[in-house]
Amino acid sequence: MLLSYVNAHKKSGNAWQTYLAQIDRVIPYLGELAKWEQSLRHPKRILIVDVPIEMDDGNVHHFEGFRVQHNLSRGPGKGGLRIHQDVTLEEVMALAGWMTIKNAAVNLPYGGAKGGIRVDPSTLSMKELEKVTRRYTSEIGLLIGPTKDIPAPDVNTNSQIMAWMMDTYSMNSGTTATGVVTGKPVDLGGSLGRTKATGRGVFMTGCEAARRMNLNISNARVAIQGFGNVGSAAAELFAAAGAKVVCIQDQFCTVFNHHGIDITAAVKAHEEKGRIDDVANTERINAEAFWDVDCDILIPAALESQLTAARAQRIKAKLVLEGANGPTLPEADDVLNDRGINVVPDVICNAGGVIVSYFEWVQDFSSFFWTENEINQRLDNIIVQALQRIFEVADKLKVSLRVAAFTVACERILMARQLRGLYP
Ligand code: NAD
């Protein structure tokens, strides 16, 4: 019923359609396991919840929330919570599907899940945001749990929101359940290194891809769309490695400096004002001009469906690092491929966050916490080795890194499916 509703809304740029098109492209490489492919196209569970809260002015507002468990063949569900005014069920389904692929691509013992609440959090007071988070957590309480499904931060959610989720779940279950979410504050069972882990993974996979292309990071020019958790952490690491971050864009503005933007100043501005429009020594340019910026590395780190075929024709970069989930449309993939532009796909490029979330979960279960150095080293090893394997498969099959990453992941998911067999 729901899938027929979703299929009726087929349109280019719809994230679920992008996910399905990516699955289509990997089927020819799955051999016998392809007989299970339908399990990749059907989310296992979808929960739509009503989230009513009393606003500060005394009125009651109802918000719509979703939690999608896409596939649990390899372990509990894992995937973030997005709070955004444009969140739709199709988008959350796609994001959950990409989590299934990502967790398998880096061989974490998880399935894929994702959540969303449809509201612009900037229109809520802190108290209202807390109420929305807590009521949503209660409503999805029948699905989540430390061994069932473990949410984490995504767009517009952070460690404070994870703390409220953890507390709500704990109150409802009568126990302190730190392992129910990851990305918590360190004082509450969170892991060192988690906040910057996704940006770090973008940087590490970028370095490995650049090394293979003989592209020198220390004088590369980088353009980044999205200056939130992922984009800003990646920007700091590229700048620290000597790269020039020449352009950054957020939802409000796009700023440019041919000689490189002062990233420390941009991070400070973002932390203090939530905006980057008045960072010193930058020129403000038109949002669409972002795609024409002269750069070596382009990092979409905002939302999905940003890199269209038309934009893919215009970009100057030699390497695209997908910090965001699903930023590139399938038609754009073809253009980039034809133009010889390398793309490190989201399912490996931004996997640093879920890898350190996995470390957090393991640390919570064992109540034994690691140093930041240990965490970063383990992250670097896992993500670089996973990318190297994907490069090998891409070379062997003569396919893009995206098809190779999906091949590695889908083989693992469908093998688990086959070994478990169908119940009953
Ligand atoms: P965030 O909320 O911290 O930041 C989002 C950024 O994107 C902000 O700078 C915002 O201004 C910008 N943005 C929003 N709409 C935009 C638009 N239309 N044009 C340009 N910029 C826009 O979110 P985040 O956690 O950094 O997530 C960004 C992307 O990375 C998402 O696709 C998310 O799913 C993905 N991701 C996040 C994590 C994580 O650990 N947070 C992990 C893996 C993938």
Side-chain angles (χ1 to χ4, degrees), residues 82 154-156 194 198 227-230 250-251 301-302 323-325:
R82 177 171 296 193
D154 189 72
V155 172
N156 292 332
R194 173 62 185 88
T198 309
F227 204 67
N229 175 287
V230 180
D250 70 5
Q251 64 191 307
N325 285 307

Side-chain angles (χ1 to χ4, degrees), residues 110-299:
Y110 289 133
K114 201 83 181 190
I117 309 175
R118 194 173 166 82
V119 58
D120 178 353
S122 70
T123 63
L124 301 177
S125 69
M126 200 65 164
K127 196 70 221 160
E128 290 166 342
L129 181 61
E130 179 176 350
K131 284 183 187 174
V132 165
T133 304
R134 286 185 181 278
R135 181 62 189 255
Y136 167 79
T137 307
S138 249
E139 293 295 338
I140 63 162
L142 56 157
L143 287 193
I144 60 171
T147 57
K148 291 163 73 181
D149 182 358
I150 307 111
D154 189 72
V155 172
N156 292 332
T157 51
N158 57 20
S159 59
Q160 177 60 72
I161 290 177
M162 295 306 114
W164 292 328
M165 292 187 80
M166 175 263 179
D167 182 67
T168 306
Y169 181 85
S170 296
M171 288 296 128
N172 287 344
S173 59
T175 178
T176 296
T178 53
V180 67
V181 288
T182 58
K184 298 178 294 293
V186 172
D187 290 333
L188 212 54
S191 178
L192 294 168
R194 173 62 185 88
T195 311
K196 299 201 169 181
T198 309
R200 186 178 178 90
V202 172
F203 175 70
M204 291 305 300
T205 54
C207 289
E208 176 62 16
R211 187 182 67 76
R212 288 167 179 263
M213 297 164 60
N214 291 324
L215 174 65
N216 190 350
I217 292 285
S218 66
N219 54 25
R221 289 156 306 153
V222 183
I224 306 180
Q225 184 195 41
F227 204 67
N229 175 287
V230 180
S232 65
E236 285 181 305
L237 288 165
F238 275 102
K244 284 193 187 97
V245 180
V246 292
C247 189
I248 51 180
Q249 177 178 78
D250 70 5
Q251 64 191 307
F252 308 109
C253 72
T254 308
V255 295
F256 175 79
N257 181 340
H258 174 68
H259 300 291
I261 296 167
D262 178 348
I263 292 302
T264 309
V267 168
K268 191 158 175 272
H270 181 255
E271 276 169 6
E272 285 171 3
K273 300 178 212 149
R275 299 177 73 104
I276 48 170
D277 35 8
D278 56 359
V279 178
N281 300 322
T282 59
E283 173 195 342
R284 214 169 147 160
I285 61 171
N286 179 286
E288 192 54 33
F290 173 82
W291 305 100
D292 302 310
V293 163
D294 198 8
C295 63
D296 303 300
I297 301 176
L298 182 88
I299 308 180

